[in-house]
Amino acid sequence: MLLSLEPRGQQSSLMLWCSPLLAAVLTLGCGSLLFIALGHDPLLTLHTLLIAPISDLYGISEWLVKALPILLCALGLAVAYQARIWNIGAEGQLLLGALAGSALAVNIIELQSRWALVLILLTGTLAGAAWAGLTAWLRTHFNANEILTSIMLNYIALNLLLFCVHGPLKDPQGFNFPQSAMFGDASRLPLLMEDGRVHAGVYFALLALVAVWVLLQKSLVGFQIKVLGLDKRAAGFVGFREKRLVWLALLISGGLAGLAGACEVSGPIGQLVPQVSPGYGYAAITVAFLGRLNPLGILFSSLLMALLYIGGENAQMSLNLPQAITQLFQGMMLFFLLACDVLILYRPRLNLHWARRAPATAVPAGAL
């Protein structure tokens, strides 16, 4: 073969961080070819997709609003993935957090209670953690694969939310729309600026960012989680309790996703609606790997993913592009990231020396 891959012997630190950048460049390149095939100017389309949405202060506020739930979900997933616990259920955990917080806001808490917001956020966090706890229980007691159980729980969470907004939580004054009543002022996160929707949930995201970094980089528990991910048998030999770490990682992961859901309903939306999440939990999977499971890397990759969300909406309205353009970019980015990650352990080698062909032997005249 003209091009082959040879093992490096050890992983390349340079390619570990250059791989996401290379994947982003390849995604933009393939996206440009796609726009040309659709009959659009690629430079204009990329400007509409990536630059125009954040060209003013309101656009920046919308950017941060989109990045907040993705960042919270991705930080939680990073904790689980460091232990090689493949939680695919952040979407369902986010929906359960939104559902539990909304149920408390419209049915139980008095609208003017000063503790309303705290209890809503706490309830959403606990609901997300409890939903992830089902996955932890199934794995530790029945050795069930967490990929399958967590992704199936997503559909249960979604249908449970749809049942509630069409039934018990449906606003009787909402003209038969599937939505809850609007939250009271005491149940809403305060806005940080007058001309935008960015809210105080940003502080929770930054606090979670610091807490996850300290957990993974500076704590004994974080060290145990990493050892469990690198070698389960070695973790058992030194006395690390696998089941306890599985529970801890999944509860943290689900709790942060539940907090993201509670922040969504008490922040920019102000009520429970079926479209509370356009797939933030699934996008967070790509964000976590794109950020190399590092909290700082996840911050930048979540901002990029949020930009794709608002850019996709902008391109759909102004250029009449398909609604699936955002999911298409997410898929291409994940595909190229996985492809470029091969270069971490392998280096490409160009084979310039081709094997010489053996000279053709003459056929005897009598054989014809």
Side-chain angles (χ1 to χ4, degrees):
M1 297 177 63
L2 181 61
L3 185 65
S4 62
L5 296 174
E6 61 179 18
R8 293 181 182 272
Q10 60 182 1
Q11 69 176 17
S12 170
S13 300
L14 177 63
M15 284 307 305
L16 185 65
W17 293 103
C18 288
S19 176
L21 298 177
L22 182 58
V25 171
L26 291 173
T27 302
L28 291 177
C30 286
S32 299
L33 295 176
L34 176 64
F35 297 144
I36 293 174
L38 292 174
H40 293 277
D41 181 1
L43 294 179
L44 176 61
T45 307
L46 288 176
H47 182 274
T48 304
L49 189 68
L50 301 176
I51 299 176
I54 53 173
S55 58
D56 55 17
L57 194 59
Y58 180 80
I60 293 175
S61 73
E62 289 296 302
W63 184 29
L64 296 177
V65 167
K66 288 287 187 183
L68 175 91
I70 300 174
L71 175 60
L72 284 171
C73 290
L75 287 172
L77 291 178
V79 176
Y81 292 169
Q82 286 280 8
R84 296 299 187 268
I85 301 168
W86 307 116
N87 177 23
I88 314 296
E91 180 74 6
Q93 293 145 22
L94 183 151
L95 295 178
L96 254 292
L99 176 59
S102 300
L104 198 64
V106 300
N107 286 326
I108 300 176
I109 296 180
E110 295 186 7
L111 296 181
Q112 299 304 320
S113 172
R114 61 180 179 177
W115 294 104
L117 182 59
V118 175
L119 291 176
I120 289 170
L121 297 178
L122 181 60
T123 301
T125 303
L126 293 177
W131 203 246
L134 291 176
T135 300
W137 179 70
L138 290 170
R139 167 163 170 167
T140 55
H141 285 75
F142 301 101
N143 199 28
N145 187 295
E146 70 273 11
I147 297 176
L148 299 177
T149 56
S150 60
I151 199 170
M152 287 189 292
L153 285 171
N154 287 344
Y155 297 102
I156 298 175
L158 176 59
N159 284 280
L160 184 60
L161 184 145
L162 292 175
F163 166 75
C164 289
V165 294
H166 285 87
L169 296 183
K170 188 176 181 179
D171 184 8
Q173 307 298 325
F175 301 99
N176 207 32
F177 285 101
Q179 60 189 24
S180 73
M182 294 295 297
F183 295 179
D185 292 339
S187 302
R188 299 289 300 273
L189 286 165
L191 299 178
L192 300 184
M193 54 188 299
E194 295 182 358
D195 298 329
R197 297 195 305 155
V198 61
H199 51 82
V202 171
Y203 298 140
F204 296 113
L206 295 177
L207 181 62
L209 178 71
V210 176
V212 169
W213 182 84
V214 172
L215 172 69
L216 294 178
Q217 304 296 332
K218 301 295 182 180
S219 70
L220 177 61
V221 174
F223 174 73
Q224 293 177 354
I225 288 174
K226 289 183 178 180
V227 172
L228 178 64
L230 292 174
D231 194 329
K232 186 188 302 185
R233 294 183 61 189
F237 288 151
V238 296
F240 296 163
R241 298 173 60 185
E242 179 187 353
K243 291 185 178 181
R244 184 176 69 89
L245 292 174
V246 169
W247 273 94
L248 180 63
L250 282 172
L251 289 178
I252 292 174
S253 182
L256 288 176
L259 176 61
C263 286
E264 280 296 288
V265 293
S266 60
I269 302 176
Q271 61 181 160
L272 182 65
V273 294
Q275 303 83 13
V276 63
S277 171
Y280 292 141
Y282 295 116
I285 299 173
T286 304
V287 166
F289 285 110
L290 195 63
R292 290 292 175 236
L293 306 184
N294 181 285
L296 187 59
I298 288 173
L299 172 62
F300 290 108
S301 55
S302 62
L303 290 173
L304 174 61
M305 189 62 69
L307 182 58
L308 290 178
Y309 268 108
I310 60 174
E313 296 171 358
N314 192 32
Q316 181 186 355
M317 291 184 293
S318 60
L319 299 178
N320 199 27
L321 284 173
Q323 184 180 4
I325 193 68
T326 301
Q327 289 79 7
L328 182 61
F329 262 80
Q330 291 177 10
M332 285 195 300
M333 187 172 295
L334 182 59
F335 172 78
F336 284 122
L337 178 65
L338 295 175
C340 294
D341 278 355
V342 174
L343 301 178
I344 298 175
L345 296 176
Y346 295 88
R347 62 168 59 91
R349 180 180 179 183
L350 190 61
N351 299 321
L352 298 178
H353 303 288
W354 290 82
R356 295 182 178 179
R357 295 181 178 179
T361 56
V363 180
L368 297 175

